[in-house]
Amino acid sequence: MSRLPSSHLLAAIAAPALLVIACAAPAGSRATARATATSAPRVLLDVPLSRSIGGRTAPSPLVSVRVAKRDLRMFVDTGASHHVISASLVASLGLRRGAAEKGSDHGLHQITAFDIGHVSATVGGAPLELREVKGVRLAAMFDKAGVGGFISPQRLQRYGAVVLDFPARRMLVLARASFAQAKSWLVRRAGKAAVRSAELLRGHTPTYLYISASLCGRAPTKAVLDTGGSKTEVTRAYVGGDAPASAPTAGSAFGASGRAYKSHKLRGQQLCIAGERHDNTTLWQREHVTEAGADRTAVGLQLGYDILGQYVIVIPSEAQRPLLMARAKGR
């Protein structure tokens, strides 16, 4: 089974396996394309994101989702391969429990999941169908904090371009927006100079968001976007043996199972994403960052909310299109 939710607190990885292919548009279609690009897309969904949980600051953003006339608070997690609902809520929500399967959390500890199927939900007044939802027995800390599960935003692409405006703490869906419309929206939101594109790299599953990123001065590596993770992590294989690290920090993060894992704080490293340099960033080294499948070591970086929270991110609804990112000024 592919990995499920991801937050530090909990992790699972998800990204459309997209390949950017340059194609020339027919000459007669250019005027139409220009008109489409300038027309504002319809906003299907525009909801606030919260960082408050049980009187504390949550490690990742949360959104309110209504399921079976009940309001759930769910992490917005690009590191989740599926939408997830806590197993403790499945029966009370009247959902059916399907076959069990094994997965892993952010700490690579085993978790048990089961199929729920498609679930009707309402987000910000908009009716949505959450497809291929999984039930997961989450650690007690999630239930105590009132967390009902995880939303995998890339799995909302069937409705349109998904916008994660973290600086403004909003999540939007631009209904059936073309790539040109989505880019125009982001230019209006952040300014043309701020907009970057990042090719979505191919993965073994279409539900993980992979881009190319690097430690500045090093060769690029495959990086996964994981807004469910509070920290940005680097694999030992990518860093090599020459990067100074602190002593292991035990219990620095937790997975869905509630079990802690160890990581090392890196010194003197900067992160480069989409041509932008991130200085004064704390990076953490692990043996592996979490990815389902046999090519786990191919991922060198896991970009957490500490970095991604600085960006407006647009996940395109069209295949073969890059991810759009705009970093907030002063970040």
Side-chain angles (χ1 to χ4, degrees):
M1 189 191 91
S2 60
R3 243 179 35 91
L4 288 170
S6 125
S7 178
H8 290 239
L9 302 175
L10 165 70
I13 301 169
L18 307 181
L19 181 65
V20 177
I21 302 175
C23 298
S29 69
R30 290 172 186 166
T32 302
R34 284 195 295 270
T36 301
T38 56
S39 59
R42 181 173 68 88
V43 177
L44 172 67
L45 175 70
D46 183 357
V47 292
L49 301 176
S50 170
R51 291 291 308 282
S52 176
I53 180 171
R56 300 180 180 180
T57 300
S60 305
L62 296 117
V63 66
S64 293
V65 179
R66 191 166 182 81
V67 177
K69 299 182 179 180
R70 184 168 175 179
D71 292 322
L72 308 179
R73 301 191 73 205
M74 305 179 78
F75 280 114
V76 176
D77 188 1
T78 58
S81 58
H82 294 76
H83 304 303
V84 168
I85 292 178
S86 173
S88 64
L89 298 174
V90 169
S92 63
L93 293 173
L95 303 175
R96 292 187 177 183
R97 177 172 176 161
E101 51 188 308
K102 299 296 182 182
S104 61
D105 70 2
H106 187 82
L108 295 181
H109 298 121
Q110 190 176 87
I111 56 175
T112 299
F114 50 86
D115 288 321
I116 295 177
H118 300 344
V119 174
S120 297
T122 303
V123 183
L128 300 176
E129 183 180 58
L130 306 181
R131 294 191 170 185
E132 299 180 17
V133 179
K134 301 292 184 180
V136 173
R137 191 174 302 282
L138 303 180
M141 69 175 109
F142 291 96
D143 290 330
K144 290 179 180 178
V147 175
F150 298 78
I151 286 289
S152 175
Q154 56 270 30
R155 282 190 169 263
L156 299 177
Q157 286 175 292
R158 57 190 292 264
Y159 291 103
V162 180
V163 179
L164 303 175
D165 191 341
F166 293 128
R169 295 193 178 179
R170 312 289 300 182
M171 181 174 75
L172 302 89
V173 174
L174 308 179
R176 304 187 181 279
S178 66
F179 179 78
Q181 285 178 312
K183 187 172 183 178
S184 293
W185 183 96
L186 185 56
V187 167
R188 290 193 294 270
R189 162 67 178 88
K192 186 174 182 179
V195 175
R196 302 283 189 274
S197 63
E199 178 183 346
L200 284 164
L201 306 179
R202 295 194 63 158
H204 64 277
T205 170
T207 50
Y208 294 120
L209 293 171
Y210 301 117
I211 64 172
S212 179
S214 70
L215 297 181
C216 300
R218 293 175 181 263
T221 186
K222 188 177 180 182
V224 63
L225 275 66
D226 182 12
T227 59
S230 62
K231 299 176 180 179
T232 291
E233 297 177 329
V234 188
T235 62
R236 180 183 296 179
Y238 176 59
V239 173
D242 57 342
S246 69
T249 302
S252 58
F254 297 84
S257 63
R259 298 171 63 186
Y261 65 88
K262 297 178 181 180
S263 58
H264 303 250
K265 186 183 293 184
L266 288 176
R267 300 191 186 103
Q269 301 290 321
Q270 288 78 42
L271 190 64
C272 287
I273 305 173
E276 293 188 307
R277 186 184 185 98
H278 289 259
D279 296 314
N280 304 316
T281 299
T282 300
L283 301 175
W284 297 83
Q285 178 183 308
R286 296 182 63 189
E287 188 68 34
H288 300 295
V289 294
T290 43
E291 180 190 1
D295 66 340
R296 177 178 296 149
T297 56
V299 175
L301 283 165
Q302 185 155 293
L303 305 177
Y305 189 72
D306 56 340
I307 294 294
L308 299 178
Q310 303 174 27
Y311 284 88
V312 185
I313 299 172
V314 179
I315 305 170
S317 58
E318 296 177 296
Q320 303 173 358
R321 292 295 190 173
L323 192 79
L324 294 170
M325 306 175 72
R327 191 177 180 187
K329 293 181 180 179
R331 297 301 183 101

